[in-house]
Amino acid sequence: MAEQERDDSGGLVRLLPVRATPPSLNDNTGDWERLQRAVERDLGAAAASLVVPWRRAAAVAAAFRENGFAGVAVLNEEPGRLELVDLLPAMPACLPVMALDLGTTHLEAVLLDLVSGRELARATRKNSQLEFGEDILSRIHFATVESGLQRLQQAVLADINALAAQLAAAAACQPATIRALAVAGNTAMGHFLLGFDPYHLCREPYIPQVNDPPPVAAAELGLAIHPAAPVRVLPGVGAYFGGDLLAGIVACDLDLAAEPTMLIDVGTNAEVVVGCRDWLVACAGAAGPALEGGVAKMGLRAGPGVVERVKIAADTGEIACQIIAAADGSVPPAKGICGSGMIDLLAELFKTGMVDIRGKLQAERLGHNLWQTPDGPAVVVVPAGEAADGEPVVVSQLDIDALMRSKAAMYAILGTLMEQVGLPFTELGRIHVAGAFGRHIDPQQAVTIGMIPDLPLAVYQPLGNSSLAGAQRYLREAAVRRRIGEVARKITYIELNVNHDFMIRFSGSRFIPHTDRSLFPSVPYQLPGREASDHDNSNPAPTVNDD
């Protein structure tokens, strides 16, 4: 085992050329034992951890004889041991392995070549479990009905098989050649995949059936990749802190940072970690849905035809939008707006006086941008003549109210976490912002509405899909696999549901940018067209009823 720990670059699957003296009348060693001895000889000290799974012994022994008692041994790294699972006739040019971000609404996967380290293909797919519930809580309840858990498991296994086939086709190989699968997802999704009962995840004291799932082979789950491929579901810390966040920590090397650093991952929830190589503290809260298209009527995830940037001319009130292009570079008509577009819109509405500090639309200032709905006023972001299917992209007051709650929750989460560790935001040298939110967000606009701290913009670093990036590193690097376990053991998780300070911060954050204006010195308050009363600092903490 000590030898394995020193091999910090080792892949989860390893290739070892072997050759043995053919049998003779003077050497009656069995085929299997002959191969095992050859592998042990070449492994050196690591051979002490070598085991041979019975399910693979006959096929491997036969392949060894057919290849003239030589070939390339395929070794899977398991916790505390190496498993000899296959014998190839020659060193392959490519060794495909699959990393998967197992999301609640979408799955994203990458096919890697462990020989060269290259990315071979990438694909995404909607989570078929949406049929059984839009959110995790609904699916946990569905799992309690007869055959519910089995149906959830079969849905996600079918999705993984479909992704494997898609990736293999793009890489001009067969799904059966995929030699390993690393999965990063939240705790509930891991339970659904492996068939563990999620019942207690949403019931006090919120204890998972498993935090660190045991090893499993693809054949045992019915996955259509190589039957001996190891399937590794990355460990979590608890019901609300899964392997996806641990993957994100190692993806950006937060656990190795010399100075305090933060990771923000916004998906169904907002998950936040702050720390360095000496300590790590994390929390999670419901600040995500309005930012990933889950609340606004015309809200969509970032993709072609979706508004991602918004600017409003201060003098004319004209709204200009940037729409995400298709893969071929063409820009389709707008069909909706994503989280970054919503943030831009709210910031621009505030800067032009079209919403007040409570986020309430000011109909008299909207002019030709005003759209009346049965639920109240709305703002036209893209007119019907420029939108898909002739339906204008509009954002209603209800949509803005949802965004205001999300932005307040985000800032309250960040503030509560920093308060718990006893540090001001200014002590953070870097804030990694993961996911589509990180790729598309304009930090200055998010600061303007009071969603994230008012820090130099260079502090904010987009990270992409940190869950998927961490799963890829898990496949490639022995050091990362070891660090995952170390992070899980040393991290401290703060439960916000019972945190009184969080609720106080949430109330104060439900204004633009905040009731305490000293927290946002870069945000101007004397903006064009805004009444002086909007900027009166005599009452730093106004009180209004909840929406």
Side-chain angles (χ1 to χ4, degrees), residues 298-317:
M298 301 203 72
L300 296 172
R301 289 171 60 95
V306 176
V307 175
E308 65 171 342
R309 290 278 180 270
V310 177
K311 290 291 183 183
I312 302 179
D315 52 348
T316 65

Side-chain angles (χ1 to χ4, degrees), residues 9-13 97-100 110 112 114 180-182 230 232 470-478 480-481:
S9 62
L12 186 62
V13 181
V97 294
M98 181 175 168
L100 173 66
V110 166
L112 298 173
L114 279 188
L181 171 63
R232 297 293 170 268
Q472 292 178 67
R473 293 191 66 183
Y474 184 92
L475 288 166
R476 291 194 301 254
E477 303 172 45
V480 166
R481 294 192 290 277

Side-chain angles (χ1 to χ4, degrees), residues 316-499:
T316 65
E318 291 297 323
I319 296 179
C321 297
Q322 179 177 313
I323 300 168
I324 300 175
D328 61 3
S330 63
V331 180
K335 59 183 178 180
I337 184 168
C338 65
S340 63
M342 289 285 291
I343 291 168
D344 273 12
L345 176 64
L346 182 57
E348 294 292 305
L349 290 172
F350 176 70
K351 288 188 287 187
T352 54
M354 296 181 184
V355 297
D356 63 16
I357 61 173
R358 302 167 302 156
K360 298 303 180 184
L361 288 168
Q362 304 298 290
E364 70 281 3
R365 298 190 188 276
L366 283 170
H368 63 278
N369 298 316
L370 178 65
W371 183 275
Q372 290 291 350
T373 75
D375 296 322
V379 57
V380 179
V381 180
V382 180
E386 302 172 20
D389 302 321
E391 181 180 358
V393 176
V394 299
V395 173
S396 70
Q397 182 65 66
L398 294 177
D399 297 332
I400 293 175
D401 291 344
L403 178 57
M404 288 290 290
R405 288 191 293 271
S406 283
K407 82 94 182 173
M410 172 68 81
Y411 191 78
I413 289 168
L414 302 181
T416 302
L417 186 58
M418 294 302 289
E419 176 68 23
Q420 291 290 320
V421 301
L423 292 175
F425 285 121
T426 52
E427 288 293 311
L428 297 172
R430 178 164 294 183
I431 298 177
H432 298 283
V433 188
F437 180 68
R439 284 195 301 270
H440 297 277
I441 185 179
D442 180 341
Q444 184 60 68
Q445 299 284 54
V447 168
T448 297
I449 68 171
M451 172 172 276
I452 57 178
D454 195 349
L455 297 171
L457 299 185
V459 170
Y460 294 97
Q461 299 291 320
L463 190 59
N465 189 331
S466 60
S467 174
L468 186 59
Q472 292 178 67
R473 293 191 66 183
Y474 184 92
L475 288 166
R476 291 194 301 254
E477 303 172 45
V480 166
R481 294 192 290 277
R482 184 172 62 250
R483 282 166 51 198
I484 285 275
E486 293 170 353
V487 169
R489 287 188 290 272
K490 77 176 184 181
I491 201 160
T492 299
Y493 181 77
I494 298 172
E495 179 54 67
L496 293 181
N497 290 332
V498 293
N499 190 295

Side-chain angles (χ1 to χ4, degrees), residues 83-118:
E83 279 194 352
L84 175 54
V85 297
D86 209 352
L87 194 287
L88 305 178
M91 185 66 73
C94 179
L95 188 68
V97 294
M98 181 175 168
L100 173 66
D101 172 27
L102 185 58
T104 306
T105 56
H106 285 79
L107 283 68
E108 184 172 0
V110 166
L111 195 66
L112 298 173
D113 173 19
L114 279 188
V115 173
S116 66
R118 292 185 305 117

Side-chain angles (χ1 to χ4, degrees), residues 33-122:
E33 289 81 4
R34 190 175 301 275
L35 171 59
Q36 187 172 2
R37 289 177 187 176
V39 172
E40 289 174 345
R41 178 196 65 217
D42 293 339
L43 277 177
S49 65
L50 182 67
V51 297
V52 180
W54 170 84
R55 67 183 186 277
R56 299 294 302 164
V60 174
F64 191 48
R65 172 173 282 272
E66 290 171 5
N67 204 50
F69 301 98
V72 178
V74 180
L75 304 167
N76 290 346
E77 180 189 296
E78 301 286 352
R81 67 183 190 273
L82 290 174
E83 279 194 352
L84 175 54
V85 297
D86 209 352
L87 194 287
L88 305 178
M91 185 66 73
C94 179
L95 188 68
V97 294
M98 181 175 168
L100 173 66
D101 172 27
L102 185 58
T104 306
T105 56
H106 285 79
L107 283 68
E108 184 172 0
V110 166
L111 195 66
L112 298 173
D113 173 19
L114 279 188
V115 173
S116 66
R118 292 185 305 117
E119 178 180 313
L120 301 174
R122 182 179 291 255

